[in-house]
Amino acid sequence: MATAPAIPAINGLISPPTDAESLSLFEPPDELSAEADSFIKNHPLAQSLRQNPDFRESRPHLKIPEAARSQNLTGGTLMGPDKIWVPPLAFNEKGGKSAVLIYYLGKDLCGHPGIVHGGLLATILDEGMARCCFAALPNKVGMTANLTVNYRAPLPSDTYVCLRAKTTKVEGRKAWVEGRIEALTVDGETPVVYVEATALFIEPRQAAVSGSDNLRCGMNEPLTGSQAMARLYPVGE
């Protein structure tokens, strides 16, 4: 009986929701969350990317099994009203070329009063830039080797922002990515850039993910850390 609570999480790792399925999994807990969710989904940037066949839309945090979200920093601990209000909407370009994510960052994420904590910005940059390049790596998963962050302007809380990332170079198991977080604007407006970053992601040597992983799960043998990451943040359908 002690292992029963782990069963949903294991099933979620083996068969995570598809990108399309992840888009229908969020249920706003209150009116303000519903307003934020609607604003993000209907913003001109989201509408434009949704019509571009080179981009795939998803809500990656909702691919994490519900039973495991309480142990996930951005998908659980920091998600909810006055924090990361709603699961960010992600648009990933085919082949791991680029990515765009839209967030609404609330007042409970501050360092200085009214200013979003710089550590939170580094965290979501790390995550968004990693997801940008995963599809360009041989087994679609990588670990952060280094991350350099340059803060350009204070980011006020209760602000809609856009994270933009671009894979600039790929060599075997290594991918280099540039990214930034900027104000979410409408066409024609010049956005304020709050923070910029560069990073190197490396796919672990043991990261090969194959059908044998499912077999090992069925035999109660644990996945490696990199295999579990690939399950939690799957790329593509």
Side-chain angles (χ1 to χ4, degrees), residues 2-78:
T3 60
I7 293 175
I10 292 173
N11 290 338
L13 287 173
I14 295 173
S15 301
T18 65
D19 288 339
E21 289 170 344
S22 73
L23 297 174
S24 63
L25 294 178
F26 178 60
E27 297 182 4
D30 54 44
E31 185 176 346
L32 290 177
S33 297
E35 290 178 3
D37 186 50
S38 177
F39 182 86
I40 287 174
K41 290 191 294 188
N42 294 297
H43 190 274
L45 175 61
Q47 292 180 339
S48 174
L49 290 169
R50 193 173 291 130
Q51 295 172 4
N52 189 329
D54 291 332
F55 283 83
R56 186 184 65 254
E57 182 180 4
S58 70
R59 279 191 138 147
H61 294 83
L62 297 184
K63 291 189 171 190
I64 302 171
E66 188 172 357
R69 288 178 200 164
S70 63
Q71 300 176 23
N72 184 276
L73 182 61
T74 54
T77 306
L78 298 178

Side-chain angles (χ1 to χ4, degrees), residues 171-193:
E171 289 184 356
R173 296 185 297 109
K174 298 180 179 180
W176 287 261
V177 184
E178 295 178 353
R180 68 182 185 273
I181 295 174
E182 62 187 31
L184 183 63
T185 62
V186 296
D187 292 342
E189 294 183 353
T190 300
V192 176
V193 176

Side-chain angles (χ1 to χ4, degrees), residues 76-95:
T77 306
L78 298 178
M79 186 73 68
D82 290 321
K83 297 182 283 187
I84 299 175
W85 272 88
V86 300
L89 199 61
F91 295 88
N92 286 78
E93 188 177 4
K94 293 177 181 178

